[in-house]
Amino acid sequence: MKKSVVYLATALLAASALLASCADNSSEPETPEEKEGTGIIAFTIDFAKSDGSRSDTAPGTGGTSSNGSSPATAISDAIPLTSWDNIHSLQIFLYDQNNFIVFSRYISGDEIKQALETDPFNTGRITYTYADVPNGTYHLMAVANANSGTEPVVTYLDGLAMRWNQENVINTRIHRARIEHKPFEFPRFYLDDLNATGVTRTSLPFEAPAEIFMGVGRQTDMQIGGEFPDMVQVIAEQETHAEITLERQVSMMRLRLNLAGEADDLNNADINLREGGKLNFSSHAMIMVVTLPSVMLPIHDNMIIDGVEYFKGVSPVMNQTDILVTRPVSNEVTRHFFDENPTQGYVKKGYAPDAGYPGDIVGLGEADPYRATSWRDILVMPNHKAHMLTPENPVLNENRYLLVISALGLPGHECKEGVLTEPHTVYWEGYINEPFEPGKIREVNITFKDGGQMEVPTRPDNSGTLTIVVKEPQDWNPAHKVTNVEL
């Protein structure tokens, strides 16, 4: 039996004009059209090859030290590796021109591993062939790492939270198969600070999302032509071949900051504060990213759903009460930053993955004007379509990511409310004006401009206590952007 290749490329995400303007309304059919006969589909899955391209942030859209971040040039050069080790599961969808899912298969991590091990030519690609596929013309979509049973996401079908499988998704419209953030919890000290205010807040904590990949399939053995050239055509009693290229749909927020005090004490950060400042970033510490995209959809192109346009699966809706809360980097302390460069899982920009050079994020000496000593890479859902910051659209400032960092202020530390006489949590906050795009790393360089505040932060109108300098983002392979933030 012939095998084929299914590459899931973002470049292939452009698809039919019909679905690009499709609205979910009562004029659409309630059930998929019945098809007679079945065929076979064979596809090979690979990763998109990086072209080193920059993202599309317009110049001059950055903020200042008083209203958020400002753009600059990236400093770090460590890029996370991309391989099948990143893929824990795959879900394959075939959906028709009315968006109904007519065929699906779930591929486990063990099945992926077996396919790679049995590849006689060691191509690094995996190929699958399935029979009993309904006759018809379809969009082919693959989604990786969306298993809500094992990944930090929640999947939905028709509004109900449930783990997707290859049976329960059938006859569901593809845009009713949703991926959302997984609920998490705020740290105890933060809840205590909230309770002390006497004000009830509606904020909800969520985990950083899984490393979601998606890809659209394109037929390789024939050209359908006509109105739907990027769909695949399954013909009864025949075998159709396609290819899919997987691309990341999440973004990476790379935080860099200087926490060094006297004698390189990485808990103090008084190099940026008044002389004699006293902080402990291993206690009462957390990182929060405020205002999260509501959903990610496994759709092939732009689509209008209930009157709202979704941009290739990226949500245009941001929830200001939803907050991403990071896990500590160690179970022993509540520290949320790494203080050493990565030794594995990364590759230095411009080097081969197997060269043995993971690259540097901190400790760059004179080459780093921020003298960063600590870092954290955080996966976030992209907000680039909800994040158009222009003078003509000031209300969309509300869609910016707001960064909140905390630490334990020690007696003698000076914060907004005065000099501490006993230990107390202190907080810093600052906007990130620049957008986060799928598959891009945005380096965020943080400078503290004061000693923080004891008051629990709320989303300020247009100010903060962090100076954030955001670098030009780069693809996971290889170029990224930067933002500088003053907190």
Side-chain angles (χ1 to χ4, degrees), residues 291-311:
T291 305
L292 303 182
S294 62
V295 67
M296 185 179 291
L297 302 177
I299 56 179
H300 72 283
D301 201 358
N302 299 350
M303 187 183 294
I304 297 175
I305 302 168
D306 298 331
V308 178
E309 185 171 9
Y310 288 72
F311 302 88

Side-chain angles (χ1 to χ4, degrees), residues 76-112:
S76 62
D77 60 10
I79 309 299
L81 292 170
T82 301
S83 74
W84 284 107
D85 291 337
N86 299 80
I87 307 301
H88 311 139
S89 66
L90 284 166
Q91 185 97 19
I92 306 299
F93 298 103
L94 281 174
Y95 61 97
D96 65 18
Q97 297 171 31
N98 292 315
N99 299 336
F100 285 106
I101 301 169
V102 301
F103 180 87
S104 181
R105 286 294 182 269
Y106 175 81
I107 304 172
S108 69
D110 288 341
E111 291 173 305
I112 294 171

Side-chain angles (χ1 to χ4, degrees), residues 46-90:
D46 198 358
F47 292 101
K49 302 301 187 291
S50 170
D51 59 4
S53 62
R54 297 283 185 174
S55 68
D56 56 2
T57 302
T61 58
T64 67
S65 61
S66 63
N67 67 12
S69 60
S70 57
T73 303
I75 298 168
S76 62
D77 60 10
I79 309 299
L81 292 170
T82 301
S83 74
W84 284 107
D85 291 337
N86 299 80
I87 307 301
H88 311 139
S89 66
L90 284 166

Side-chain angles (χ1 to χ4, degrees), residues 115-235:
L116 292 169
E117 290 175 346
T118 56
D119 177 5
F121 302 106
N122 195 28
T123 63
R125 301 178 297 184
I126 60 174
T127 301
Y128 293 97
T129 302
Y130 296 107
D132 300 323
V133 180
N135 174 39
T137 301
Y138 305 108
H139 295 285
L140 172 63
M141 171 69 72
V143 181
N145 300 335
N147 182 343
S148 60
T150 58
E151 303 286 347
V153 294
V154 178
T155 51
Y156 287 80
L157 290 175
D158 289 326
L160 298 176
M162 65 179 71
R163 177 180 170 180
W164 296 341
N165 60 46
Q166 56 196 39
E167 289 86 24
N168 62 9
V169 300
I170 300 301
N171 296 338
T172 299
R173 286 194 174 101
I174 189 66
H175 52 274
R176 295 305 186 196
R178 299 165 61 94
I179 303 171
E180 299 188 9
H181 288 90
K182 183 177 181 179
F184 194 36
E185 58 186 14
F186 290 120
R188 183 73 259 169
F189 71 83
Y190 178 74
L191 294 175
D192 290 343
D193 288 346
L194 283 178
N195 291 334
T197 67
V199 178
T200 301
R201 300 195 182 183
T202 58
S203 299
L204 298 174
F206 294 91
E207 286 204 70
E211 192 175 10
I212 300 294
F213 289 74
M214 293 186 192
V216 175
R218 165 170 284 178
Q219 193 159 336
T220 59
D221 54 2
M222 63 182 298
Q223 177 66 40
I224 299 174
E227 193 174 2
F228 311 110
D230 291 326
M231 301 178 78
V232 297
Q233 187 175 28
V234 179
I235 301 173

Side-chain angles (χ1 to χ4, degrees), residues 56 302 309-312 314-318 382-388 396 399 435-438:
D56 56 2
N302 299 350
E309 185 171 9
Y310 288 72
F311 302 88
K312 295 182 179 178
V314 176
S315 173
V317 179
M318 307 284 288
N383 67 348
H384 67 307
K385 293 300 182 183
H387 191 299
M388 297 175 291
L396 292 181
N399 290 329
F436 287 80
E437 304 166 61

